[in-house]
Amino acid sequence: MRKIGLLGLTLVTLGTWFSLRSSPPYISSALPTIKPSPPKTIQYLERILPQGIAHILLIPANSRFVVTGALSAKANTVEEFAQKRKAIAILNAGFFDPANQKSTSYVVVAGQLVADPKDNERLVNNPQLKPYLAQIFNRTEFRRYQCGQTIRYSIALHNESAPADCQLVDAIGAGPRLLPELTLVQEGFVDNALVRDALGSNQLNARTAVGITRDGSIILVMVTQKPSQPNNSGISLLQLADLMKILGASEAMNLDGGSSSSLYYLGKTFYGKVDLQGNLIKRPVKSVLLVQEK
């Protein structure tokens, strides 16, 4: 990842100073200084990017809010998840197969494995994916641990063990990892030898991501396309990694994007993908990240 020089702007959020670094050309001056927010409260930010709009939620560390996972037996929109879960915010999360509505990502809820990609026959029996199954079954996931009386979040590969004295409570897989480095090849999304790029990583698209700051705050991001430019708007994965770094994340991972990109916050829903006529696509999703009060 290229180094980014210091910029004379500072983003003040969550009672923590996140130093803004000089933005790549696609972000330019789209992230102006914002006023300090009261500590321990969720902050919603909307930032206009040259090729899209970034909807950002900042959830402070050690607050009354917790980020958990949820899975639906049948795919639902984030609005439908909100009606059932009564969450403050909901972000689409893991990958799934729209044809059979089975998850292609691991999901753990309340300490129980509720979705296993190895149970998805369309995934495991796909001859084109067989060379990548070991990598697919060990992709990045967002985790919540209970460590004594403390909640900890991390981004880890599926096969990684929980830290000592910590119990895994929730986990939702997707990938690839964005920070501290982009791991497209390692997680089987890209095969340079075969010119395979499952996510169109260099293309502009609606994208979704979750990040963790050094103090343990959570950053949820959903970047929308422009209705006026349905074929050439959004953000690439490299640009998304840069954006997460600018926002203060030390760890970050990509979530299911494209038509799945959707964010609900306090009664309002934002969808990321548009069709060729510029209309928003409201696609049901299989798993989500919930922001709820403890």
Side-chain angles (χ1 to χ4, degrees):
M1 189 71 67
R2 61 185 178 277
K3 294 184 179 179
I4 308 174
L6 293 176
L7 177 69
L9 294 175
T10 303
L11 177 64
V12 186
T13 71
L14 311 175
T16 300
W17 289 81
F18 294 144
S19 293
L20 274 179
R21 303 184 182 278
S22 64
S23 305
Y26 64 89
I27 294 180
S28 67
S29 59
L31 295 171
T33 301
I34 60 175
K35 296 179 180 179
S37 62
K40 308 308 179 188
T41 62
I42 295 175
Q43 187 172 12
Y44 167 74
L45 309 172
E46 180 182 290
R47 291 293 174 259
I48 306 301
L49 306 178
Q51 300 298 327
I53 300 174
H55 299 278
I56 305 158
L57 284 181
L58 306 171
I59 300 100
N62 304 315
S63 66
R64 68 181 188 276
F65 305 105
V66 63
V67 181
T68 66
L71 179 82
S72 177
K74 181 180 179 182
N76 290 320
T77 64
V78 289
E79 295 169 306
E80 291 170 330
F81 269 102
Q83 293 171 0
K84 296 177 182 179
R85 304 285 178 166
K86 302 192 186 316
I88 298 167
I90 300 177
L91 183 70
N92 72 282
F95 297 112
F96 71 103
D97 186 335
N100 61 15
Q101 297 206 353
K102 291 186 177 182
S103 178
T104 55
S105 300
Y106 289 100
V107 180
V108 174
V109 176
Q112 300 296 316
L113 180 65
V114 296
D116 187 335
K118 294 178 181 178
D119 295 333
N120 190 327
E121 64 279 359
R122 279 174 50 86
L123 171 63
V124 298
N125 295 327
N126 185 332
Q128 295 182 331
L129 296 180
K130 282 190 180 295
Y132 310 100
L133 286 180
Q135 294 160 287
I136 290 172
F137 296 148
N138 190 33
R139 282 177 170 166
T140 305
E141 53 192 34
F142 176 80
R143 293 178 171 183
R144 178 169 69 101
Y145 300 113
Q146 189 70 45
C147 306
Q149 299 300 312
T150 303
I151 290 175
R152 284 179 55 186
Y153 298 98
S154 78
I155 291 172
L157 291 174
H158 176 74
N159 290 344
E160 290 184 43
S161 301
D165 303 320
C166 292
Q167 183 73 33
L168 179 64
V169 181
D170 296 305
I172 291 188
R177 183 189 293 271
L178 299 172
L179 296 174
E181 63 178 348
L182 187 59
T183 56
L184 280 160
V185 175
Q186 297 91 320
E187 296 188 45
F189 290 103
V190 168
D191 186 336
N192 293 324
L194 299 178
V195 196
R196 177 180 183 269
D197 188 349
L199 298 178
S201 58
N202 294 319
Q203 300 171 6
L204 299 180
N205 202 353
R207 308 274 184 186
T208 311
V210 57
I212 307 172
T213 69
R214 294 192 184 280
D215 77 340
S217 299
I218 303 299
I219 305 173
L220 304 180
V221 174
M222 196 274 288
V223 177
T224 70
Q225 292 186 303
K226 289 184 174 182
S228 60
Q229 298 175 244
N231 289 322
N232 187 32
S233 62
I235 197 168
S236 72
L237 280 183
L238 181 61
Q239 293 169 349
L240 183 60
D242 282 338
L243 177 60
M244 297 303 289
K245 187 173 184 178
I246 288 169
L247 290 171
S250 57
E251 299 178 73
M253 66 176 282
N254 178 63
L255 300 171
D256 192 8
S259 299
S260 293
S261 300
S262 47
L263 170 68
Y264 167 92
Y265 178 59
L266 292 180
K268 189 171 183 179
T269 306
F270 307 94
Y271 289 95
K273 185 75 173 177
V274 297
D275 62 22
L276 294 179
Q277 288 72 46
N279 301 308
L280 291 172
I281 297 175
K282 300 182 179 181
R283 176 186 180 180
V285 296
K286 186 71 175 179
S287 62
V288 295
L289 292 177
L290 307 174
V291 181
Q292 298 173 305
E293 291 199 50
K294 295 179 183 177

